[in-house]
Coordinates of all heavy atoms in Angstrom, one line a residue:
M30 N -10.1 17.9 20.8 CA -8.8 18.2 20.0 C -7.7 17.4 20.6 O -6.9 16.8 19.9 CB -8.6 19.7 20.1 CG -7.3 20.1 19.5 SD -7.5 20.5 17.8 CE -5.9 21.1 17.4
F31 N -7.6 17.4 22.0 CA -6.5 16.6 22.6 C -6.6 15.1 22.3 O -5.6 14.5 22.1 CB -6.6 16.8 24.1 CG -5.5 16.1 24.9 CD1 -4.2 16.4 24.8 CD2 -5.9 15.0 25.6 CE1 -3.2 15.7 25.5 CE2 -4.9 14.2 26.3 CZ -3.6 14.6 26.2
Q32 N -7.8 14.6 22.3 CA -8.0 13.2 22.0 C -7.6 12.8 20.6 O -6.9 11.8 20.3 CB -9.5 12.8 22.2 CG -9.8 11.3 22.0 CD -11.2 11.0 22.2 OE1 -12.1 11.9 22.4 NE2 -11.6 9.7 22.2
F33 N -7.8 13.7 19.6 CA -7.4 13.5 18.2 C -5.8 13.5 18.2 O -5.2 12.6 17.6 CB -7.9 14.6 17.3 CG -7.3 14.6 16.0 CD1 -7.6 13.6 15.0 CD2 -6.3 15.6 15.6 CE1 -7.0 13.6 13.8 CE2 -5.7 15.6 14.4 CZ -6.1 14.6 13.5
L34 N -5.2 14.5 18.8 CA -3.8 14.6 18.8 C -3.1 13.4 19.5 O -2.1 12.8 19.0 CB -3.3 15.9 19.5 CG -3.6 17.1 18.7 CD1 -3.2 18.4 19.5 CD2 -2.9 17.1 17.4
L35 N -3.7 12.9 20.6 CA -3.2 11.7 21.3 C -3.3 10.5 20.4 O -2.3 9.7 20.3 CB -3.9 11.6 22.6 CG -3.4 10.4 23.5 CD1 -2.0 10.6 23.9 CD2 -4.3 10.2 24.7
G36 N -4.4 10.3 19.8 CA -4.6 9.2 18.9 C -3.7 9.2 17.7 O -3.1 8.2 17.3
F37 N -3.5 10.4 17.2 CA -2.6 10.6 16.0 C -1.2 10.2 16.4 O -0.4 9.5 15.7 CB -2.7 12.0 15.5 CG -1.9 12.3 14.3 CD1 -2.3 11.9 13.1 CD2 -0.7 13.0 14.4 CE1 -1.6 12.1 11.9 CE2 0.1 13.2 13.2 CZ -0.4 12.8 12.0
A38 N -0.7 10.7 17.6 CA 0.6 10.5 18.1 C 0.8 9.0 18.3 O 1.9 8.4 18.0 CB 0.9 11.3 19.3
V39 N -0.1 8.3 19.0 CA 0.0 6.9 19.3 C 0.0 6.1 18.0 O 0.8 5.1 17.9 CB -1.2 6.4 20.2 CG1 -1.2 4.9 20.4 CG2 -1.0 7.1 21.6
G40 N -0.8 6.5 17.0 CA -0.8 5.8 15.7 C 0.5 5.9 15.0 O 1.0 4.9 14.4
N41 N 1.1 7.1 15.1 CA 2.4 7.2 14.5 C 3.5 6.4 15.1 O 4.3 5.8 14.5 CB 2.8 8.7 14.5 CG 2.2 9.5 13.4 OD1 1.9 8.9 12.3 ND2 2.0 10.7 13.6
V42 N 3.5 6.4 16.4 CA 4.5 5.6 17.2 C 4.3 4.1 16.9 O 5.3 3.4 16.6 CB 4.4 5.9 18.7 CG1 5.2 4.9 19.5 CG2 4.8 7.3 19.0
V43 N 3.1 3.6 16.9 CA 2.8 2.2 16.6 C 3.2 1.9 15.2 O 3.8 0.8 14.9 CB 1.4 1.8 16.9 CG1 1.0 0.5 16.4 CG2 1.1 1.9 18.4
G44 N 2.9 2.7 14.3 CA 3.3 2.5 12.9 C 4.8 2.5 12.7 O 5.3 1.6 11.9
M45 N 5.5 3.3 13.3 CA 7.0 3.3 13.2 C 7.5 2.0 13.8 O 8.4 1.4 13.3 CB 7.6 4.5 13.9 CG 7.3 5.8 13.1 SD 8.2 7.2 13.9 CE 7.1 7.6 15.3
Y46 N 7.0 1.6 14.9 CA 7.5 0.4 15.6 C 7.2 -0.8 14.7 O 8.1 -1.6 14.5 CB 6.7 0.2 16.9 CG 7.1 -1.1 17.6 CD1 8.2 -1.3 18.3 CD2 6.2 -2.2 17.4 CE1 8.6 -2.5 18.9 CE2 6.5 -3.4 18.0 CZ 7.7 -3.6 18.7 OH 8.0 -4.8 19.3
L47 N 6.0 -0.9 14.1 CA 5.7 -2.0 13.2 C 6.6 -2.0 12.0 O 7.1 -3.1 11.5 CB 4.3 -2.0 12.8 CG 3.3 -2.3 13.9 CD1 1.8 -2.1 13.4 CD2 3.5 -3.7 14.5
A48 N 6.8 -0.9 11.4 CA 7.6 -0.8 10.2 C 9.1 -1.1 10.4 O 9.7 -1.7 9.5 CB 7.6 0.7 9.6
Q49 N 9.6 -0.9 11.6 CA 11.0 -1.2 11.9 C 11.2 -2.6 12.3 O 12.2 -3.2 12.1 CB 11.5 -0.3 13.1 CG 11.7 1.2 12.7 CD 12.1 2.0 13.8 OE1 12.3 1.5 14.9 NE2 12.2 3.3 13.6
N50 N 10.2 -3.2 12.9 CA 10.4 -4.6 13.5 C 9.7 -5.7 12.7 O 10.0 -6.9 13.0 CB 9.9 -4.6 15.0 CG 10.8 -3.7 15.8 OD1 12.0 -3.8 15.8 ND2 10.2 -2.8 16.5
Y51 N 8.9 -5.4 11.8 CA 8.2 -6.4 11.0 C 8.3 -6.1 9.5 O 8.5 -5.0 9.1 CB 6.7 -6.5 11.4 CG 6.5 -6.9 12.9 CD1 6.3 -6.0 13.9 CD2 6.5 -8.3 13.2 CE1 6.1 -6.4 15.2 CE2 6.4 -8.7 14.5 CZ 6.2 -7.7 15.5 OH 6.0 -8.1 16.8
D52 N 8.1 -7.2 8.7 CA 8.2 -7.0 7.3 C 6.8 -6.6 6.8 O 6.0 -7.4 6.3 CB 8.6 -8.3 6.6 CG 8.9 -8.2 5.2 OD1 9.1 -7.1 4.7 OD2 8.8 -9.2 4.5
V53 N 6.6 -5.3 6.8 CA 5.3 -4.7 6.3 C 5.4 -4.5 4.8 O 6.4 -3.9 4.3 CB 5.1 -3.3 7.0 CG1 3.8 -2.7 6.6 CG2 5.1 -3.5 8.5
P54 N 4.5 -5.0 4.1 CA 4.5 -4.9 2.6 C 4.3 -3.5 2.1 O 3.5 -2.7 2.8 CB 3.4 -5.8 2.1 CG 2.5 -5.9 3.3 CD 3.3 -5.8 4.5
N55 N 4.9 -3.1 1.0 CA 4.7 -1.8 0.4 C 3.4 -1.9 -0.4 O 3.4 -2.5 -1.5 CB 5.9 -1.5 -0.4 CG 5.8 -0.1 -1.0 OD1 4.8 0.6 -0.9 ND2 7.0 0.4 -1.5
I56 N 2.3 -1.3 0.0 CA 1.1 -1.4 -0.6 C 1.1 -0.7 -2.0 O 0.5 -1.2 -3.0 CB 0.0 -0.7 0.2 CG1 -0.1 -1.4 1.6 CG2 -1.4 -0.7 -0.5 CD1 -0.5 -2.9 1.5
A57 N 1.8 0.4 -2.2 CA 1.9 1.1 -3.5 C 2.5 0.2 -4.5 O 2.1 0.2 -5.7 CB 2.6 2.4 -3.3
K58 N 3.6 -0.5 -4.1 CA 4.2 -1.4 -5.1 C 3.4 -2.6 -5.4 O 3.3 -3.0 -6.6 CB 5.6 -1.9 -4.5 CG 6.4 -2.7 -5.4 CD 7.8 -2.9 -4.9 CE 8.5 -3.7 -6.0 NZ 9.9 -3.9 -5.7
K59 N 2.6 -3.1 -4.5 CA 1.7 -4.2 -4.8 C 0.6 -3.8 -5.8 O 0.3 -4.5 -6.7 CB 1.0 -4.7 -3.5 CG 1.9 -5.3 -2.5 CD 2.2 -6.7 -2.8 CE 3.1 -7.4 -1.7 NZ 3.6 -8.7 -2.1
I60 N 0.1 -2.6 -5.6 CA -0.9 -2.1 -6.5 C -0.4 -1.9 -7.9 O -1.0 -2.3 -8.9 CB -1.5 -0.8 -6.0 CG1 -2.3 -1.0 -4.7 CG2 -2.4 -0.1 -7.1 CD1 -2.8 0.2 -4.0
E61 N 0.8 -1.4 -8.1 CA 1.5 -1.3 -9.4 C 1.7 -2.6 -10.0 O 1.5 -2.8 -11.2 CB 2.8 -0.5 -9.2 CG 2.7 0.9 -8.9 CD 1.9 1.7 -10.0 OE1 2.2 1.4 -11.2 OE2 1.1 2.5 -9.7
D62 N 2.1 -3.6 -9.2 CA 2.3 -5.0 -9.8 C 1.0 -5.6 -10.3 O 0.9 -6.2 -11.3 CB 2.9 -5.9 -8.7 CG 4.3 -5.6 -8.3 OD1 5.0 -4.9 -9.1 OD2 4.8 -6.0 -7.3
I63 N -0.1 -5.3 -9.5 CA -1.4 -5.8 -10.0 C -1.8 -5.1 -11.3 O -2.4 -5.8 -12.2 CB -2.5 -5.6 -8.9 CG1 -2.2 -6.5 -7.7 CG2 -3.9 -5.8 -9.4 CD1 -3.0 -6.2 -6.4
K64 N -1.6 -3.8 -11.4 CA -2.0 -3.1 -12.6 C -1.2 -3.6 -13.8 O -1.7 -3.8 -14.9 CB -1.7 -1.6 -12.4 CG -2.6 -0.9 -11.6 CD -2.3 0.6 -11.5 CE -3.2 1.4 -10.6 NZ -2.8 2.8 -10.5
K65 N 0.1 -3.9 -13.6 CA 0.9 -4.5 -14.7 C 0.4 -5.9 -15.1 O 0.3 -6.2 -16.3 CB 2.4 -4.6 -14.3 CG 3.1 -3.3 -14.2 CD 4.5 -3.4 -13.7 CE 5.2 -2.1 -13.5 NZ 6.5 -2.2 -13.0
D66 N 0.0 -6.7 -14.1 CA -0.6 -8.0 -14.5 C -1.9 -7.9 -15.3 O -2.1 -8.6 -16.2 CB -0.8 -8.8 -13.2 CG 0.5 -9.3 -12.5 OD1 1.5 -9.3 -13.2 OD2 0.4 -9.6 -11.3
V67 N -2.7 -7.0 -14.9 CA -4.0 -6.8 -15.6 C -3.7 -6.3 -17.0 O -4.3 -6.8 -18.0 CB -4.9 -5.8 -14.8 CG1 -6.1 -5.3 -15.7 CG2 -5.4 -6.4 -13.5
E68 N -2.8 -5.4 -17.2 CA -2.5 -4.9 -18.5 C -1.9 -6.0 -19.4 O -2.2 -6.1 -20.6 CB -1.5 -3.7 -18.4 CG -2.1 -2.4 -17.9 CD -3.1 -1.8 -18.8 OE1 -2.9 -1.9 -20.0 OE2 -4.1 -1.3 -18.3
A69 N -1.1 -6.9 -18.8 CA -0.5 -8.0 -19.6 C -1.5 -9.0 -20.0 O -1.3 -9.6 -21.0 CB 0.6 -8.6 -18.7
K70 N -2.6 -9.1 -19.2 CA -3.6 -10.1 -19.5 C -4.6 -9.7 -20.5 O -5.5 -10.5 -21.0 CB -4.2 -10.6 -18.3 CG -3.3 -11.5 -17.4 CD -3.9 -12.0 -16.2 CE -2.9 -12.8 -15.3 NZ -3.5 -13.3 -14.1
K71 N -4.7 -8.3 -20.8 CA -5.6 -7.8 -21.8 C -5.4 -8.4 -23.2 O -4.2 -8.6 -23.6 CB -5.6 -6.3 -21.8 CG -6.2 -5.6 -20.7 CD -6.3 -4.1 -20.9 CE -6.9 -3.5 -19.7 NZ -6.9 -2.0 -19.9
K72 N -6.5 -8.7 -23.9 CA -6.3 -9.2 -25.2 C -5.8 -8.1 -26.2 O -6.2 -7.0 -26.1 CB -7.6 -9.7 -25.7 CG -8.2 -10.9 -25.1 CD -9.5 -11.4 -25.7 CE -10.0 -12.6 -25.1 NZ -11.3 -13.0 -25.7
P73 N -4.9 -8.5 -27.0 CA -4.4 -7.5 -28.0 C -5.6 -7.3 -29.0 O -6.4 -8.2 -29.3 CB -3.2 -8.2 -28.7 CG -3.4 -9.7 -28.4 CD -4.2 -9.8 -27.1
P74 N -5.6 -6.1 -29.6 CA -6.7 -5.8 -30.6 C -6.6 -6.7 -31.8 O -5.5 -7.0 -32.3 CB -6.6 -4.3 -30.9 CG -5.2 -4.0 -30.5 CD -4.8 -5.0 -29.4
N75 N -7.7 -7.1 -32.4 CA -7.7 -7.8 -33.6 C -7.5 -6.9 -34.8 O -8.4 -6.1 -35.1 CB -9.0 -8.6 -33.8 CG -9.0 -9.9 -33.0 OD1 -8.0 -10.4 -32.6 ND2 -10.2 -10.4 -32.8
D76 N -6.4 -7.0 -35.5 CA -6.1 -6.2 -36.7 C -6.3 -7.1 -37.9 O -5.5 -7.9 -38.3 CB -4.7 -5.7 -36.7 CG -4.5 -4.7 -35.6 OD1 -5.5 -4.0 -35.2 OD2 -3.3 -4.5 -35.1
K77 N -7.5 -6.9 -38.6 CA -7.8 -7.7 -39.8 C -7.9 -6.9 -41.0 O -8.2 -5.8 -41.0 CB -9.1 -8.5 -39.6 CG -9.0 -9.6 -38.6 CD -10.2 -10.4 -38.6 CE -10.1 -11.5 -37.6 NZ -11.3 -12.3 -37.5

């Protein structure tokens, strides 16, 4: 249990340090951009 808590705490501290000091991309926004690109590239239905 202690090992899990220690790893969790160290992970949080490292994550906060990286987020403050480096340009970490927003993964959720990237996924939304990819979804929009896929939707835009779909063929429109043929209405005959």
Side-chain angles (χ1 to χ4, degrees):
M30 175 90 174
F31 178 73
Q32 185 177 5
F33 169 76
L34 291 174
L35 183 63
F37 186 76
V39 170
N41 280 332
V42 170
V43 170
M45 288 186 285
Y46 174 79
L47 292 175
Q49 289 176 2
N50 294 306
Y51 295 98
D52 186 20
V53 180
N55 186 346
I56 301 299
K58 186 170 182 173
K59 294 279 185 191
I60 291 172
E61 288 299 320
D62 291 342
I63 291 170
K64 285 181 183 178
K65 287 178 185 176
D66 289 343
V67 169
E68 289 294 323
K70 290 181 181 180
K71 283 186 179 178
K72 290 184 179 178
N75 281 340
D76 293 333
K77 289 185 179 181

